[in-house]
Every structure is written in structure tokens, then in C-alpha cells.
RNA sequence: GGGCCGCUAGCUCAAUUUGGCAGAGCAGCUGACUCUUAAUCAGCGGGUUAGAGGUUCGAGUCCUCUGCGGCUCACCA
């Protein structure tokens, strides 16, 4: 079983062998480095005119321009790029020759030298010597075009990152956004917590789960589809403000805005209702945008979007009425609503519950046009089994969803804290499940028990971090903001 | 899961329309060159055209199946 090597890989293996023959370690445990590329340039600029500035920089060789007895090259490190200049009269014949014959683009090197400015004004390290920090055995992607193949970019994200600087920036923005979320919530007295990912009963959202198994306990477990039911238990326990940022797993289709595992923020605040949460949500998103990209005015796929609060608020009923002419409150059951929808020539799934019909109208006729940030308010009860009813209503709950660029980014409600009502809601969900709705909630007795010890009036909130990052980085696909998005396994049967 | 589109050298792309020698740039190798920066100049090597099968005198190109990817619809956040 010999590896099939390309000609370029073979040349690099031969160079590796020659380096070892010459007693040079191609993978030394450490190399000297005094400055990053950026630090070196700043040090030169800060130094008095004509002063000698000595540095040792280290990084990956990205370009090599050889001109006989001297060579220019660029190395790249975590801070950026810096040019190095190698001359035979400084390195000596043998070292210079070794560099030319045994080093490749992609290799990591360490270079001590003095800084100078070239004729064209570029700050450059005039090398005293050069040492290998790590040998590279495969050629890098095209230095000019980068790596474009989407499949390779995602399967080998490291190549994408090293070849495409703009991709590196996306994940810096993402990290700043997450840090800003934590700062925002921490400053308001929220406690960051961690709750189980492996759950005996999944809940808190309408989705199909991934199933796994604990061997010793011989117990099936589910990867969580939300954090909700555990975070509310913590409100019962006496924490008044909690949040969690982590991964949810949903066994559903993959699309430009869906990945099987995705990152969610949920927070719960005692003595807040959904109106309080709405104000917090718009402030929080604006804060995160300012911290992560320096502005609340973003361009997403060519559309100018202003995240500055306050966001537009409109009742779901009014939004659907505006877009479709259907006033769902005039139709108290699924059949009459379905007939009204069909009568207007609109398309929805038949045999749906009333709530699902409304949700379907929302998804098809309202959501795509919600470009500027918008809160849709007051949802039908049968698609909101964990939300509190509006006072005086049996069919509507205190719930809102936030939309930006035609995409749902958050979901929140005044939390249902009536344990008996909650039990009834679970029972209704159980009937939906029996009727074939695989995403309906299961009865969760332990959660009901928690509620029956008393939970104060509470507002809860959930937001997709990936989608938020898509907005902040102007990316049209969720895979572009997830470092290692889910990919189908490659068939390697012949190897 | 359905529909449509795609897969050619390490990378970026031609050649596919109309079946007729599989090409270029970068990268690589050899040589020249002591301020270059997509360095330049001369020469050279590199391909199971995603895989399997079929049609044909002849297939990267047409047909079938499979794999993977992209877009899209459905479901979902």
C-alpha cells in the first residue's frame, strides 16, 4: 500500500530527506521569534531615522522571488505579512544555496535580521540567516486565485483559511460577536450556565432529534434541540437571569440557513415579559453589531439594513392580513382557515393544524419581505406550547419572533409558568405526535414537576448565532460562518 | 427526499455548443538574473477528464448507473 504522490510531493519528500542528511531538523521543537510581522513593521516605524532595528520574525513562506544571488520572499504569520530579503553575501554560499534548493512556498521559517525600507518603500527584513521551522509536504492553493472550490474549502477549511484572508476575517467577526453577547448579558447581571447536551427527553423546540445511547446505563439519550426546559428549571431554582451559548442539534434538512448543529443563545429573565425581552433583544443585536463590525448599518446581499433600535413591531395577524388579505382571527378552526386561504388562491399544506397554516402563511408570504428588522408579535397557541396565553385569549400567546433580511433570527415569549396549563399543552402536543407530527413535544413530567414548585413570571429568548453572523459578515450561506460545516462522508471504497 | 446544474494537472480555468492529437496561467523541475513584489527570461515535466458501464471507427464531449458538491423546493431555526 504505497502512497501515490504527485511530482510536487515527491520533490518535497526528497528535500526533506536532504535536509535530514545535512543534519537539519525539518521539524524543530522551537525556533526564535522576537516580533510578529506587524510588530516588526511598527518597531521600524517607531525607531529613529537610520537606527538599526533587529528582529527575528517567523511565519509561512507565501511567495518567493529569486533573482540569482538575492531573493525576496514574503512570510505570513497570525498578524499579517512581511517581506524578507536574502542575499548570498550575508547568508554565505552554502546557506543561500540550501534555501534555494530545499525550501518551498508553504514552509515555516524563522528569520533574524535588520529592518530596512526597499526602493518601493516596503519595510523588509534583511536576513542574517534563515532557519526552517516546519517543512510542508504539499503545495499550497494558488497564490493569486486562492482556493475557490466550495467542497474543498469546507472539507479542508485550513486550506481555505490560509489561502483566503477574507475567510479568516469572518470568524474573527463571529468571535467578536459572541464575546459582545457575553459582555452585554454579563453587564446586565445574567449568569452564564451550562446545561445537558445529552438529554433523556428532548424539548423546547419543534424538531426531530439525534439519538444516542449510554452503554453502561443502557439508556437512549437525545442530543438537545434547545436549552429551554433546563434554563427554566434554573429560574425555578432562584437564579433570576441566566443564559447559555452553545450547540443545538436538529435532525432536519440542510439548507443555506440550516446546519444539523448550530449555535444558539438563550436567556431567561424573571419578572420580564415579552415586551421587556423585545427591547433587550434589539439593544443587544445593535450592541453586538457595533462591537463586532463597528456599525449598526449593514449591507446584506446588496440590501441596506439598519439594525438601530427601535425595530418595527407588527402583530402577526396584521402582517399576514396585509400580505395575504386573510384575517386568521376570523377563522377559529383549521378547516375554515384552510378554505379561506384556498379561496384567495394561496398555497399551503393541506391537513395542517390552524397554527401550522398560519405559520405556513408567515413563511411563504410575510417572512421573505421582512428585510428591515421586524418583530412579529402574538402567535397562535398550538405552535407555541411553552408560551403564556395573552390575557383574555384562548388562542393567542405572548410570543414574538425577530426577522432580518427575510430570515428569522430570534424567538421569544412570556414563559408559560402554569404547571397545569403546561401539562395540557404537552398532552395536546402528544395528540399531534400520535397524529404523525414527529416534531411535536413529548410530555416532560420532570419539567412539569419543576414548574409546580413555582416559577416567577419570566421572559425567555433564543437567537441563532450563525444567522446573526451571516448578517454581520454579509454571507449568503450558513456554511460560510461555521468553521467545519456538516459534509457528507466521501466514499473511499477503492483506497 | 424531489428538481436543476456541476466535477478536466497540486490550485484557478479552457477544450463540451457541432464527438476527431487534453491546453493555459500559477505552482513544480533545470538554467540565467544582487531592490523584487502576480518578479522577469529560456527550457522541461506533470492527466484513470469523479467512478463504473454503454453507444461509436473514435468519447472530456452522447446515453445509463453510482459518488460528491452547488442551487432550489419541501421540513426546520
Amino acid at each position: 500500500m504505497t502512497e501515490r504522490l504527485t511530482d510536487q510531493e515527491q520533490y518535497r519528500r526528497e528535500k526533506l530527506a536532504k535536509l535530514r542528511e545535512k543534519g537539519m531538523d525539518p521539524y524543530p521543537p522551537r525556533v526564535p521569534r522576537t516580533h510578529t510581522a506587524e510588530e516588526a513593521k511598527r518597531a521600524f516605524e517607531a525607531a529613529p531615522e537610520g537606527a538599526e532595528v533587529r528582529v527575528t520574525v517567523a511565519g509561512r513562506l507565501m511567495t518567493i522571488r529569486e533573482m540569482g544571488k538575492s531573493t525576496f520572499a514574503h512570510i505570513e504569520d497570525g498578524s499579517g505579512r512581511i517581506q524578507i530579503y536574502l542575499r548570498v553575501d550575508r547568508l554565505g554560499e552554502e546557506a543561500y544555496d540550501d534555501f534555494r534548493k530545499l525550501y518551498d512556498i508553504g514552509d515555516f521559517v524563522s528569520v533574524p535580521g535588520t529592518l530596512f525600507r526597499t526602493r518601493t518603500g516596503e519595510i523588509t527584513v534583511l536576513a542574517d540567516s534563515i532557519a526552517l521551522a516546519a517543512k510542508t509536504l504539499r503545495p499550497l492553493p494558488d497564490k493569486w486565485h486562492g482556493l475557490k472550490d466550495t467542497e474543498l474549502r469546507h472539507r479542508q477549511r485550513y486550506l481555505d483559511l490560509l489561502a483566503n484572508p477574507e475567510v479568516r476575517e469572518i470568524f474573527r467577526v463571529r468571535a467578536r460577536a459572541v464575546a459582545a453577547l457575553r459582555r452585554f448579558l454579563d453587564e446586565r447581571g445574567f449568569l452564564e450556565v451550562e446545561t445537558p447536551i445529552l438529554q433523556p427527553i428532548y424539548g423546547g423546540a419543534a424538531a426531530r432529534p439525534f439519538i444516542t445511547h449510554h452503554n453502561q446505563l443502557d439508556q437512549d439519550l437525545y442530543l438537545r434541540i434547545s436549552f429551554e426546559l433546563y434554563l427554566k428549571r434554573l429560574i425555578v431554582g432562584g437564579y433570576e437571569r441566566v443564559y447559555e451559548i452553545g450547540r443545538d442539534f436538529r435532525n432536519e434538512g440542510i439548507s443555506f440557513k440550516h446546519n444539523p448543529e448550530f449555535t444558539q443563545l438563550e436567556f431567561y429573565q424573571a419578572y420580564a415579559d415579552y415586551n421587556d425581552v423585545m427591547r433587550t433583544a434589539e439593544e443587544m443585536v445593535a450592541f453586538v453589531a457595533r462591537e463586532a463590525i463597528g456599525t449598526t448599518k449593514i449591507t446584506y446581499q446588496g440590501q441596506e439594513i439598519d439594525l438601530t433600535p427601535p425595530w418595527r413591531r407588527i402583530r402577526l395577524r396584521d402582517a399576514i392580513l396585509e400580505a395575504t388579505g386573510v384575517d386568521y382571527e376570523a377563522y377559529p378552526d383549521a378547516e375554515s382557515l384552510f378554505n379561506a386561504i384556498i379561496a384567495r388562491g394561496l398555497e399551503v399544506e393541506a391537513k395542517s393544524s390552524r397554527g401550522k397554516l398560519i405559520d405556513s402563511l408567515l413563511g411563504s408570504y410575510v417572512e421573505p419581505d421582512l428585510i428591515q428588522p421586524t418583530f412579529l408579535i402574538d402567535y397562535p397557541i398550538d405552535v407555541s406550547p411553552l408560551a403564556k396565553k395573552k390575557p383574555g385569549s384562548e388562542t393567542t400567546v405572548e410570543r414574538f419572533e425577530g426577522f432580518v433580511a427575510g430570515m428569522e433570527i430570534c424567538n421569544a415569549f412570556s414563559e408559560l409558568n402554569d404547571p397545569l396549563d403546561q401539562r395540557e399543552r404537552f398532552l395536546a402536543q402528544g395528540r399531534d405526535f400520535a397524529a404523525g407530527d414527529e416534531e411535536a413535544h413529548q410530555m416532560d413530567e420532570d419539567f412539569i414537576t419543576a414548574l409546580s414548585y413555582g416559577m416567577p413570571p419570566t421572559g425567555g429568548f433564543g437567537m441563532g448565532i450563525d444567522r446573526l453572523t451571516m448578517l454581520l459578515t454579509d454571507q449568503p450561506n450558513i456554511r460560510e460562518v461555521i468553521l467545519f460545516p456538516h459534509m457528507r462522508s466521501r466514499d473511499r471504497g477503492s483506497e
Side-chain angles (χ1 to χ4, degrees), chain A residues 16-28:
Chain A
L16 183 72
K18 281 189 192 131
L19 284 162
R20 290 205 157 108
E21 275 170 33
K22 283 175 149 290
M24 295 158 77
D25 183 356
Y27 302 100

PDB file of all heavy atoms in Angstrom, chain A residues 16-28:
ATOM      1  N   LEU A  16      13.063  16.960   2.000  1.00  0.00           N
ATOM      2  CA  LEU A  16      13.003  16.609   3.417  1.00  0.00           C
ATOM      3  C   LEU A  16      14.160  15.670   3.779  1.00  0.00           C
ATOM      4  O   LEU A  16      14.850  15.861   4.782  1.00  0.00           O
ATOM      5  CB  LEU A  16      11.662  15.930   3.704  1.00  0.00           C
ATOM      6  CG  LEU A  16      11.341  15.538   5.134  1.00  0.00           C
ATOM      7  CD1 LEU A  16      11.050  16.786   5.965  1.00  0.00           C
ATOM      8  CD2 LEU A  16      10.139  14.599   5.165  1.00  0.00           C
ATOM      9  N   ALA A  17      14.362  14.674   2.913  1.00  0.00           N
ATOM     10  CA  ALA A  17      15.439  13.711   3.163  1.00  0.00           C
ATOM     11  C   ALA A  17      16.795  14.408   3.139  1.00  0.00           C
ATOM     12  O   ALA A  17      17.669  14.145   3.971  1.00  0.00           O
ATOM     13  CB  ALA A  17      15.384  12.595   2.122  1.00  0.00           C
ATOM     14  N   LYS A  18      16.989  15.318   2.178  1.00  0.00           N
ATOM     15  CA  LYS A  18      18.266  16.031   2.079  1.00  0.00           C
ATOM     16  C   LYS A  18      18.510  16.909   3.307  1.00  0.00           C
ATOM     17  O   LYS A  18      19.626  17.012   3.807  1.00  0.00           O
ATOM     18  CB  LYS A  18      18.311  16.886   0.809  1.00  0.00           C
ATOM     19  CG  LYS A  18      18.631  16.058  -0.425  1.00  0.00           C
ATOM     20  CD  LYS A  18      18.885  16.940  -1.642  1.00  0.00           C
ATOM     21  CE  LYS A  18      18.907  16.093  -2.907  1.00  0.00           C
ATOM     22  NZ  LYS A  18      18.052  16.654  -3.969  1.00  0.00           N
ATOM     23  N   LEU A  19      17.462  17.547   3.782  1.00  0.00           N
ATOM     24  CA  LEU A  19      17.598  18.373   4.986  1.00  0.00           C
ATOM     25  C   LEU A  19      18.101  17.524   6.139  1.00  0.00           C
ATOM     26  O   LEU A  19      18.991  17.915   6.893  1.00  0.00           O
ATOM     27  CB  LEU A  19      16.241  18.988   5.350  1.00  0.00           C
ATOM     28  CG  LEU A  19      15.785  20.158   4.483  1.00  0.00           C
ATOM     29  CD1 LEU A  19      14.288  20.393   4.631  1.00  0.00           C
ATOM     30  CD2 LEU A  19      16.553  21.421   4.858  1.00  0.00           C
ATOM     31  N   ARG A  20      17.515  16.316   6.268  1.00  0.00           N
ATOM     32  CA  ARG A  20      17.921  15.429   7.364  1.00  0.00           C
ATOM     33  C   ARG A  20      19.363  14.965   7.187  1.00  0.00           C
ATOM     34  O   ARG A  20      20.125  14.911   8.148  1.00  0.00           O
ATOM     35  CB  ARG A  20      16.975  14.236   7.446  1.00  0.00           C
ATOM     36  CG  ARG A  20      15.592  14.624   7.927  1.00  0.00           C
ATOM     37  CD  ARG A  20      14.861  13.446   8.579  1.00  0.00           C
ATOM     38  NE  ARG A  20      13.823  13.919   9.493  1.00  0.00           N
ATOM     39  CZ  ARG A  20      12.512  13.831   9.233  1.00  0.00           C
ATOM     40  NH1 ARG A  20      12.086  13.294   8.106  1.00  0.00           N
ATOM     41  NH2 ARG A  20      11.628  14.289  10.111  1.00  0.00           N
ATOM     42  N   GLU A  21      19.720  14.647   5.923  1.00  0.00           N
ATOM     43  CA  GLU A  21      21.104  14.242   5.646  1.00  0.00           C
ATOM     44  C   GLU A  21      22.095  15.312   6.074  1.00  0.00           C
ATOM     45  O   GLU A  21      23.192  15.020   6.542  1.00  0.00           O
ATOM     46  CB  GLU A  21      21.299  14.008   4.138  1.00  0.00           C
ATOM     47  CG  GLU A  21      20.906  12.631   3.654  1.00  0.00           C
ATOM     48  CD  GLU A  21      20.895  12.585   2.124  1.00  0.00           C
ATOM     49  OE1 GLU A  21      21.727  13.305   1.518  1.00  0.00           O
ATOM     50  OE2 GLU A  21      20.060  11.856   1.555  1.00  0.00           O
ATOM     51  N   LYS A  22      21.676  16.561   5.880  1.00  0.00           N
ATOM     52  CA  LYS A  22      22.571  17.671   6.222  1.00  0.00           C
ATOM     53  C   LYS A  22      22.522  17.978   7.723  1.00  0.00           C
ATOM     54  O   LYS A  22      23.121  18.950   8.174  1.00  0.00           O
ATOM     55  CB  LYS A  22      22.148  18.920   5.454  1.00  0.00           C
ATOM     56  CG  LYS A  22      22.571  18.890   3.993  1.00  0.00           C
ATOM     57  CD  LYS A  22      22.013  20.105   3.280  1.00  0.00           C
ATOM     58  CE  LYS A  22      22.912  20.582   2.154  1.00  0.00           C
ATOM     59  NZ  LYS A  22      24.160  21.171   2.624  1.00  0.00           N
ATOM     60  N   GLY A  23      21.782  17.154   8.456  1.00  0.00           N
ATOM     61  CA  GLY A  23      21.726  17.346   9.902  1.00  0.00           C
ATOM     62  C   GLY A  23      20.786  18.455  10.333  1.00  0.00           C
ATOM     63  O   GLY A  23      20.854  18.922  11.472  1.00  0.00           O
ATOM     64  N   MET A  24      19.923  18.901   9.427  1.00  0.00           N
ATOM     65  CA  MET A  24      18.969  19.932   9.799  1.00  0.00           C
ATOM     66  C   MET A  24      17.642  19.283  10.180  1.00  0.00           C
ATOM     67  O   MET A  24      17.150  18.397   9.484  1.00  0.00           O
ATOM     68  CB  MET A  24      18.753  20.898   8.623  1.00  0.00           C
ATOM     69  CG  MET A  24      20.010  21.691   8.277  1.00  0.00           C
ATOM     70  SD  MET A  24      19.981  22.316   6.590  1.00  0.00           S
ATOM     71  CE  MET A  24      18.883  23.703   6.759  1.00  0.00           C
ATOM     72  N   ASP A  25      17.053  19.725  11.290  1.00  0.00           N
ATOM     73  CA  ASP A  25      15.780  19.170  11.738  1.00  0.00           C
ATOM     74  C   ASP A  25      14.643  19.913  11.022  1.00  0.00           C
ATOM     75  O   ASP A  25      14.466  21.102  11.226  1.00  0.00           O
ATOM     76  CB  ASP A  25      15.648  19.346  13.263  1.00  0.00           C
ATOM     77  CG  ASP A  25      14.368  18.730  13.790  1.00  0.00           C
ATOM     78  OD1 ASP A  25      13.560  18.232  12.975  1.00  0.00           O
ATOM     79  OD2 ASP A  25      14.178  18.759  15.029  1.00  0.00           O
ATOM     80  N   PRO A  26      13.893  19.202  10.174  1.00  0.00           N
ATOM     81  CA  PRO A  26      12.805  19.877   9.449  1.00  0.00           C
ATOM     82  C   PRO A  26      11.629  20.239  10.362  1.00  0.00           C
ATOM     83  O   PRO A  26      10.767  21.001   9.958  1.00  0.00           O
ATOM     84  CB  PRO A  26      12.369  18.851   8.410  1.00  0.00           C
ATOM     85  CG  PRO A  26      13.286  17.690   8.538  1.00  0.00           C
ATOM     86  CD  PRO A  26      13.984  17.780   9.842  1.00  0.00           C
ATOM     87  N   TYR A  27      11.608  19.651  11.557  1.00  0.00           N
ATOM     88  CA  TYR A  27      10.518  19.949  12.497  1.00  0.00           C
ATOM     89  C   TYR A  27      11.089  20.218  13.884  1.00  0.00           C
ATOM     90  O   TYR A  27      10.872  19.442  14.819  1.00  0.00           O
ATOM     91  CB  TYR A  27       9.511  18.786  12.544  1.00  0.00           C
ATOM     92  CG  TYR A  27       8.922  18.495  11.180  1.00  0.00           C
ATOM     93  CD1 TYR A  27       9.395  17.434  10.400  1.00  0.00           C
ATOM     94  CD2 TYR A  27       7.911  19.300  10.654  1.00  0.00           C
ATOM     95  CE1 TYR A  27       8.887  17.185   9.137  1.00  0.00           C
ATOM     96  CE2 TYR A  27       7.393  19.064   9.393  1.00  0.00           C
ATOM     97  CZ  TYR A  27       7.886  18.000   8.643  1.00  0.00           C
ATOM     98  OH  TYR A  27       7.375  17.768   7.394  1.00  0.00           O
ATOM     99  N   PRO A  28      11.841  21.301  14.028  1.00  0.00           N
ATOM    100  CA  PRO A  28      12.469  21.587  15.320  1.00  0.00           C
ATOM    101  C   PRO A  28      11.406  21.890  16.371  1.00  0.00           C
ATOM    102  O   PRO A  28      10.308  22.343  16.031  1.00  0.00           O
ATOM    103  CB  PRO A  28      13.321  22.828  15.033  1.00  0.00           C
ATOM    104  CG  PRO A  28      12.641  23.483  13.882  1.00  0.00           C
ATOM    105  CD  PRO A  28      12.067  22.380  13.052  1.00  0.00           C
TER     106      PRO A  28
END
